[in-house]
Amino acid sequence: MPKTTLHTLLQALRHPLPGVLLAAMLVATTLATTALTPMALAQNTPTPQVTTHSDAQQTVSEYRLNGKLYAIRVAPKSGQAYFLYDADGDGNYQRRDTDTVPVPEWVQRE
Protein backbone atom coordinates (compact mmCIF):
# COMPACT_ATOMS: atom_id res chain seq x y z
CA MET A 1 0.00 0.00 0.00
CA PRO A 2 1.58 3.36 -0.96
CA LYS A 3 2.42 5.68 1.91
CA THR A 4 -0.11 8.32 0.85
CA THR A 5 -2.93 5.77 0.82
CA LEU A 6 -1.89 4.41 4.21
CA HIS A 7 -1.61 7.94 5.58
CA THR A 8 -5.10 8.80 4.25
CA LEU A 9 -6.51 5.61 5.75
CA LEU A 10 -4.96 6.38 9.14
CA GLN A 11 -6.29 9.93 9.02
CA ALA A 12 -9.80 8.64 8.25
CA LEU A 13 -9.68 6.25 11.18
CA ARG A 14 -8.94 9.13 13.62
CA HIS A 15 -12.33 10.69 12.94
CA PRO A 16 -15.35 8.58 14.03
CA LEU A 17 -17.72 9.21 11.11
CA PRO A 18 -15.26 8.61 8.25
CA GLY A 19 -13.91 5.59 10.13
CA VAL A 20 -17.39 4.13 10.40
CA LEU A 21 -18.02 4.82 6.73
CA LEU A 22 -14.73 3.21 5.80
CA ALA A 23 -15.54 0.15 7.90
CA ALA A 24 -18.97 -0.10 6.28
CA MET A 25 -17.40 0.15 2.82
CA LEU A 26 -14.89 -2.59 3.67
CA VAL A 27 -17.65 -4.88 4.94
CA ALA A 28 -19.80 -4.20 1.87
CA THR A 29 -16.87 -4.90 -0.45
CA THR A 30 -16.08 -8.15 1.35
CA LEU A 31 -19.70 -9.31 1.19
CA ALA A 32 -20.00 -8.40 -2.47
CA THR A 33 -16.90 -10.36 -3.42
CA THR A 34 -17.74 -13.45 -1.36
CA ALA A 35 -21.49 -13.71 -2.06
CA LEU A 36 -22.59 -16.71 -4.11
CA THR A 37 -23.63 -15.85 -7.61
CA PRO A 38 -26.71 -17.51 -9.14
CA MET A 39 -24.40 -19.69 -11.24
CA ALA A 40 -22.50 -20.83 -8.14
CA LEU A 41 -25.78 -21.64 -6.42
CA ALA A 42 -26.94 -23.57 -9.47
CA GLN A 43 -23.74 -25.62 -9.44
CA ASN A 44 -24.47 -26.72 -5.87
CA THR A 45 -27.99 -27.86 -6.74
CA PRO A 46 -28.12 -31.55 -7.65
CA THR A 47 -29.51 -32.30 -11.10
CA PRO A 48 -31.84 -35.29 -11.22
CA GLN A 49 -32.10 -37.78 -14.05
CA VAL A 50 -35.55 -37.41 -15.62
CA THR A 51 -37.14 -40.23 -17.61
CA THR A 52 -40.33 -39.35 -19.48
CA HIS A 53 -43.04 -41.66 -20.86
CA SER A 54 -46.11 -40.53 -22.80
CA ASP A 55 -49.33 -42.15 -23.95
CA ALA A 56 -52.63 -40.84 -25.27
CA GLN A 57 -53.85 -39.84 -21.79
CA GLN A 58 -50.82 -38.36 -20.01
CA THR A 59 -47.10 -37.70 -19.80
CA VAL A 60 -45.27 -39.18 -16.82
CA SER A 61 -41.79 -38.00 -15.80
CA GLU A 62 -39.77 -39.91 -13.18
CA TYR A 63 -37.20 -37.94 -11.15
CA ARG A 64 -34.17 -39.84 -9.80
CA LEU A 65 -30.97 -38.84 -8.09
CA ASN A 66 -28.28 -41.37 -7.15
CA GLY A 67 -30.58 -44.02 -8.65
CA LYS A 68 -33.37 -43.27 -6.14
CA LEU A 69 -36.86 -42.41 -7.40
CA TYR A 70 -38.21 -39.53 -5.32
CA ALA A 71 -40.81 -37.85 -7.55
CA ILE A 72 -43.17 -38.57 -10.41
CA ARG A 73 -44.70 -35.74 -12.40
CA VAL A 74 -48.03 -36.58 -14.01
CA ALA A 75 -49.26 -34.24 -16.74
CA PRO A 76 -52.69 -35.31 -18.02
CA LYS A 77 -53.59 -34.27 -21.57
CA SER A 78 -56.51 -32.36 -20.07
CA GLY A 79 -56.09 -30.98 -16.58
CA GLN A 80 -53.42 -29.68 -14.27
CA ALA A 81 -50.06 -31.41 -13.84
CA TYR A 82 -49.07 -32.62 -10.36
CA PHE A 83 -46.28 -34.45 -8.57
CA LEU A 84 -46.26 -37.64 -6.56
CA TYR A 85 -43.47 -36.97 -4.05
CA ASP A 86 -41.65 -39.20 -1.55
CA ALA A 87 -40.41 -36.71 1.05
CA ASP A 88 -38.76 -39.15 3.47
CA GLY A 89 -37.84 -42.26 1.47
CA ASP A 90 -40.51 -44.57 2.88
CA GLY A 91 -42.06 -45.24 -0.55
CA ASN A 92 -45.24 -43.37 0.39
CA TYR A 93 -45.82 -40.83 -2.41
CA GLN A 94 -47.91 -37.77 -1.56
CA ARG A 95 -49.66 -35.69 -4.22
CA ARG A 96 -48.28 -32.14 -4.59
CA ASP A 97 -50.07 -29.65 -6.80
CA THR A 98 -46.99 -27.52 -7.50
CA ASP A 99 -44.77 -26.66 -10.46
CA THR A 100 -41.61 -28.08 -8.87
CA VAL A 101 -40.50 -30.17 -5.91
CA PRO A 102 -37.16 -30.06 -4.09
CA VAL A 103 -34.69 -32.92 -4.08
CA PRO A 104 -35.21 -34.42 -0.61
CA GLU A 105 -32.30 -34.90 1.79
CA TRP A 106 -32.66 -38.70 1.87
CA VAL A 107 -31.93 -38.86 -1.88
CA GLN A 108 -28.85 -36.64 -1.69
CA ARG A 109 -27.12 -38.92 0.83
CA GLU A 110 -25.20 -41.72 -0.84
Side-chain angles (χ1 to χ4, degrees):
M1 184 178 291
K3 185 176 180 179
T4 56
T5 306
L6 179 59
H7 178 69
T8 305
L9 178 61
L10 290 174
Q11 289 294 328
L13 291 176
R14 288 185 190 163
H15 301 289
L17 184 58
V20 169
L21 292 174
L22 179 62
M25 287 174 32
L26 289 173
V27 169
T29 302
T30 302
L31 290 175
T33 58
T34 59
L36 290 176
T37 63
M39 182 165 291
L41 289 172
Q43 290 174 351
N44 292 333
T45 304
T47 304
Q49 175 188 0
V50 181
T51 306
T52 302
H53 312 278
S54 295
D55 61 25
Q57 303 298 319
Q58 62 192 4
T59 300
V60 176
S61 300
E62 299 173 350
Y63 289 73
R64 287 184 173 80
L65 188 66
N66 299 325
K68 300 172 187 170
L69 178 66
Y70 68 90
I72 302 166
R73 183 176 185 270
V74 180
K77 294 294 179 190
S78 61
Q80 193 71 14
Y82 59 91
F83 279 92
L84 299 174
Y85 182 69
D86 185 359
D88 56 11
D90 65 358
N92 185 15
Y93 289 81
Q94 307 277 316
R95 181 177 172 144
R96 299 249 177 125
D97 293 318
T98 62
D99 294 331
T100 61
V101 291
V103 177
E105 288 294 321
W106 69 269
V107 173
Q108 296 182 45
R109 289 178 257 150
E110 287 190 77

